[in-house]
Amino acid sequence: MFLSAILFGLLGSFHCVGMCGPIAFMLPIDRKNKTKGFLQILSYHFGRLFSYSLIGLLFGFLGKGFYFFGFQQQLSIIVGVSMILMVLFPKFFSKVNFSKGINKVIFKVKNALGKELKKKRTDTFFTIGFLNGFLPCGLVYMAVFGALATTNAFSGSLYMFLFGLGTIPLMTSVVYLGNFTKGTFRKKIQKAIPVVVVFIGVLFVLRGLGLGIPYVSPAPVLDIIDANDACH
């Protein structure tokens, strides 16, 4: 499952370039001092990874509750089916609006982000990355589903951290080269993203079914315990 997080990040970063690329390209980095500029970009990424990890911590904690009450398998199936449905019926899900409360929070985040982009303090880049991590993004929502399907807060946080880690190579390239991912290549990657999402959704469903397939669909812990007890 953690491999799916990195895969989400790597392929999803092509989507992120369209959404967050302008922010990354506008970073007020020192382009004369390469070492300083690199550290500033690194600070920006650490900020994003930190916010993703916090989100994963929250949803991983919620997932732990489902696991505690024995609903982890059902949740994994629901998460997998949701991923597949979001790919098959994107127009339906695009009509789902945020509540006014969440919209207000997003508006404040965007305002704070705009102010930080005008500054050049040491902590500016970490703050920009941190705020960037809370902006609405379809791929982040998918990764959040994955964090929710984990068994504890740490695993949820790690899932989101790995997702963010996967986005770093392309997002770093955007800072130096601008939005170079245009044309046929980008279109091919964009077409591949839904396929990957469906594939990962299927993995979550298989995981929830507990078919006894090592690594892909392991048997439920209770079934393993019952089987061991029967041997005595």
Side-chain angles (χ1 to χ4, degrees):
M1 289 297 102
F2 290 120
L3 184 61
S4 72
I6 297 175
L7 193 59
F8 255 140
L10 285 171
L11 288 178
S13 57
F14 282 87
H15 171 80
C16 294
V17 165
M19 299 295 291
C20 303
I23 295 173
F25 190 63
M26 288 172 61
L27 288 174
I29 62 171
D30 189 336
R31 297 184 183 273
K32 294 181 180 179
N33 188 327
K34 293 184 178 179
T35 302
K36 186 178 180 182
F38 176 77
L39 292 175
Q40 290 171 335
I41 294 169
L42 201 62
S43 179
Y44 163 73
H45 287 314
F46 273 130
R48 289 196 307 119
L49 292 177
F50 185 59
S51 58
Y52 289 152
S53 297
L54 285 179
I55 294 170
L57 191 72
L58 171 62
F59 283 91
F61 181 76
L62 292 175
K64 181 180 179 180
F66 287 105
Y67 178 76
F68 180 78
F69 289 105
F71 295 121
Q72 188 62 28
Q73 282 182 269
Q74 293 90 330
L75 178 63
S76 186
I77 293 172
I78 292 170
V79 166
V81 171
S82 297
M83 287 182 175
I84 296 169
L85 289 177
M86 288 181 77
V87 170
L88 296 178
F89 305 103
K91 291 183 179 180
F92 173 78
F93 286 94
S94 65
K95 293 178 182 178
V96 179
N97 295 319
F98 289 104
S99 68
K100 291 183 178 180
I102 295 178
N103 274 327
K104 286 181 179 179
V105 172
I106 293 173
F107 180 74
K108 288 182 179 179
V109 169
K110 288 182 177 179
N111 274 348
L113 194 56
K115 292 177 181 178
E116 288 296 326
L117 284 169
K118 298 176 182 178
K119 301 175 183 177
K120 291 186 179 181
R121 296 199 310 262
T122 306
D123 63 337
T124 295
F125 299 91
F126 180 87
T127 306
I128 291 173
F130 181 76
L131 293 171
N132 194 166
F134 288 101
L135 289 178
C137 171
L139 266 298
V140 173
Y141 299 154
M142 294 288 186
V144 164
F145 276 154
L148 184 62
T150 59
T151 56
N152 55 67
F154 174 76
S155 295
S157 183
L158 179 59
Y159 192 95
M160 290 299 293
F161 177 85
L162 292 174
F163 164 77
L165 205 63
T167 67
I168 287 179
L170 191 60
M171 290 297 287
T172 301
S173 300
V174 168
V175 175
Y176 286 111
L177 305 175
N179 192 358
F180 63 94
T181 56
K182 295 180 179 179
T184 308
F185 179 66
R186 181 175 180 177
K187 288 180 180 179
K188 288 181 178 179
I189 294 296
Q190 292 283 19
K191 289 181 180 178
I193 292 174
V195 176
V196 172
V197 171
V198 170
F199 174 73
I200 294 173
V202 170
L203 285 181
F204 273 107
V205 172
L206 289 174
R207 179 192 178 201
L209 291 174
L211 301 175
I213 305 172
Y215 304 108
V216 176
S217 184
V221 176
L222 290 176
D223 288 354
I224 296 172
I225 294 172
D226 291 340
N228 290 334
D229 289 341
C231 294
H232 295 297

